[in-house]
Amino acid sequence: MPSATTDGPRYVDGALIPDIQKYGDNPVTIRVTEEELHTGKTRPETVQECLRYFHRDGFVVLENAIDEGLVDRLYNRMVQDNSEFLRRKHMHWNQGASTGNVSQIPPLTPEWLDRDFYANPHMIRVAENILGPKPELRFINSNVACPGGTSRQAVHSDVSHAFPEIPFGLVMNIYLQDSDAQNGVTEVWCGTHNAYPQSEQQVSPGKGWIKKEYLQERAKVKPPVQPKVKKGSICIRDLRLWHAGMPNTSDHHRIRLAVDYFAQWYQCPMTTKLPLSMKKTIEREWEGVSTVGVEWVEGDLNSLDVQFYLNMTQDPSQYLLQTEKGFQDSVGRQTGKYVYDTAKVTEQNYWTPE
Ligand SMILES: O=C(O)CCC(=O)C(=O)O
Ligand SMILES: [Fe+2]
C-alpha cells in the first residue's frame, strides 16, 4: 500500500521510492542534483538507483557529475595533445586506422589532476558499493575518436580472460563533450555483463570479440544502442560489458576518459603512473580510493610518452604493452610476432538486423 505525504519520503510496501531525476531505459541516465554536484555528497537514493541499474545492465550513466568549466578545460588541452600524440611512434589505432580511435593518456602533471575526474566523489560512492571498500585505481587513459573515422569497431568485451562471474572491475568513461551517434558515442549492449559465460561468447581466447551468433541472438533480447550522453557524464561500465567504438563523423574530437577501478579482493596486477609530487595530496584528498595500484613517478611525467600498458587479468605475466612494433601480448613475447589487434573487422563482428 502506498503511503504518501506531500513533501516527505514516499514508501510503497515498505520500500522507499527514490526521489531522483532519471531518464531512458536502455541505458538509464541518473542526473545528480545541483546540490549533490556542489556539495560532493551523493544522496543515498541516488546511490540506490545507480546500483539498481548497474546490476541490471552492467552500465549506468551519472549525469551532471562534473563542473562544465573543468570538462571544457581538459577537452581543449587533450585536443591540442592529440596532434602531437598522433606523431608518436608508439601510438596505435584501436582496431585499425579507419576507426580513427586512439588511446591517449590525459595530461598527468599536477595542475591537470582534478579529483572531479579521477576520484569523483559520486563515482567513488557508487564504485565502493559495487566493488567493496577502497576500490583500487589502476588505469588512467582515454579513447579519442578523431574526426574523419570511417569504420566501426568489432563488438567486444575489454576483458578476455577467465574472469569472475561477479563485478570485479569498472571502467569510468567520462565524456568531455555532448555525444551521440554523430560524433561516435560508444555502442553499448546493456545486460551483457553477465548474460553468457566468457568461454562461450568470445571468438578466441585473449581477444574479447563476440561471436556473430551471440550478437544476433542477444539483439533480440535487448538491441545495442548509441545513447545520447551529455558533457561531464560518467558512464559506469562493468568491464565485462559488450561495447564497440563507432566512427566520429563530426568535425570535432570525441574524447572519453577511461579510468579503471578494481575490487581489492581481485588483486589486479596492473599499475598506472602518477607524479610523485602529487602523492601526498592525492592520498589525502582522493577520498575512498586505494592507490596501491599507482606507480609514483619522480620528476616530469609527460603522458604522451607513456606507452599503453594493460593487464586486467589476475596474472602478472598476461600484460599487453604498446611498442613501436605494435602491441606485445604474452603470445608476442613467446613468438616475437606482434599480431595482437591486427585482425580486420567484418560484418561477422557486429550486429546486422535480420
Ligand atoms: O572509444 C570508444 O568509443 C570505444 C573504444 C573501445 O572500446 C576500445 O578501444 O576498446
Ligand atoms: Fe573497448
Side-chain angles (χ1 to χ4, degrees), residues 62-349:
L62 202 53
E63 190 177 279
N64 198 36
I66 308 175
D67 174 78
E68 282 212 5
L70 282 181
V71 175
D72 292 342
R73 176 174 175 264
L74 183 59
Y75 176 82
N76 291 329
R77 163 65 197 251
M78 289 185 70
V79 169
Q80 252 181 37
D81 275 1
N82 184 252
S83 49
E84 196 182 324
F85 184 61
L86 294 184
R87 292 196 294 267
R88 290 290 200 274
K89 285 216 179 70
H90 62 80
M91 93 80 166
H92 173 91
W93 297 105
N94 294 316
Q95 298 192 22
S98 57
T99 62
N101 191 296
V102 287
S103 297
Q104 176 183 319
I105 303 181
L108 299 176
T109 44
E111 70 274 27
W112 293 98
L113 289 173
D114 291 296
R115 176 189 175 201
D116 308 61
F117 294 111
Y118 305 107
N120 182 281
H122 309 296
M123 169 177 111
I124 296 301
R125 211 71 330 119
V126 177
E128 69 194 5
N129 278 285
I130 296 169
L131 300 174
K134 286 218 159 199
E136 299 173 352
L137 172 63
R138 291 183 176 273
F139 186 77
I140 297 179
N141 215 307
S142 85
N143 281 94
V144 181
C146 298
T150 52
S151 61
R152 55 164 299 146
Q153 288 187 332
V155 179
H156 64 279
S157 161
D158 285 340
V159 279
S160 52
H161 63 293
F163 51 66
E165 287 155 3
I166 51 172
F168 61 93
L170 303 173
V171 52
M172 308 299 189
N173 285 142
I174 304 176
Y175 278 78
L176 302 188
Q177 66 293 300
D178 289 339
S179 298
D180 58 17
Q182 211 221 341
N183 64 352
V185 77
T186 313
E187 174 182 286
V188 289
W189 292 67
C190 286
T192 54
H193 59 308
N194 58 9
Y196 311 99
Q198 181 269 337
S199 56
E200 278 176 26
Q201 58 175 303
Q202 302 183 359
V203 176
S204 59
K207 193 161 147 163
W209 291 16
I210 308 299
K211 289 177 185 163
K212 178 73 170 181
E213 64 263 36
Y214 280 71
L215 299 172
Q216 296 305 105
E217 282 314 301
R218 179 66 200 179
K220 292 175 191 157
V221 181
K222 200 171 244 195
V225 278
Q226 282 190 279
K228 269 192 178 4
V229 176
K230 284 217 167 76
K231 184 201 289 186
S233 297
I234 304 175
C235 298
I236 303 179
R237 165 161 64 88
D238 189 304
L239 281 174
R240 299 169 294 170
L241 194 84
W242 302 357
H243 63 280
M246 302 297 280
N248 177 357
T249 60
S250 80
D251 299 333
H252 300 284
H253 293 75
R254 188 236 56 184
I255 306 179
R256 191 201 76 158
L257 300 184
V259 180
D260 290 9
Y261 275 94
F262 290 86
Q264 288 191 20
W265 57 261
Y266 181 69
Q267 302 180 78
C268 180
M270 181 161 57
T271 56
T272 195
K273 291 181 178 15
L274 283 175
L276 181 63
S277 60
M278 281 294 281
K279 184 169 189 279
K280 279 210 176 89
T281 312
I282 288 176
E283 288 180 348
R284 188 179 59 239
E285 294 177 5
W286 292 16
E287 233 172 86
V289 170
S290 164
T291 56
V292 293
V294 174
E295 186 191 328
W296 301 104
V297 177
E298 272 184 73
D300 296 338
L301 180 56
N302 183 345
S303 60
L304 304 183
D305 291 333
V306 176
Q307 288 164 287
F308 180 93
Y309 155 78
L310 188 73
N311 189 358
M312 302 195 285
T313 75
Q314 293 181 286
D315 174 352
S317 75
Q318 291 279 311
Y319 66 91
L320 190 67
L321 183 70
Q322 199 172 23
T323 73
E324 291 182 13
K325 291 200 287 177
F327 269 127
Q328 182 201 77
D329 61 359
S330 48
V331 176
R333 275 190 287 284
Q334 277 156 26
T335 62
K337 293 203 177 76
Y338 289 52
V339 293
Y340 186 88
D341 199 29
T342 55
K344 223 182 140 33
V345 180
T346 74
E347 244 187 44
Q348 288 303 301
N349 308 117

Side-chain angles (χ1 to χ4, degrees), residues 19-88:
D19 171 28
I20 61 152
Q21 266 192 60
K22 69 174 180 210
Y23 62 88
D25 193 53
N26 180 25
V28 175
T29 298
I30 292 171
R31 192 171 168 85
V32 164
T33 64
E34 293 305 307
E35 192 184 332
E36 286 174 298
L37 173 64
H38 295 121
T39 60
K41 301 233 177 309
T42 328
R43 296 155 62 226
E45 282 118 296
T46 305
V47 177
Q48 179 174 342
E49 290 295 272
C50 285
L51 294 176
R52 171 180 175 195
Y53 294 109
F54 174 82
H55 286 296
R56 188 189 75 174
D57 294 339
F59 187 82
V60 67
V61 184
L62 202 53
E63 190 177 279
N64 198 36
I66 308 175
D67 174 78
E68 282 212 5
L70 282 181
V71 175
D72 292 342
R73 176 174 175 264
L74 183 59
Y75 176 82
N76 291 329
R77 163 65 197 251
M78 289 185 70
V79 169
Q80 252 181 37
D81 275 1
N82 184 252
S83 49
E84 196 182 324
F85 184 61
L86 294 184
R87 292 196 294 267
R88 290 290 200 274

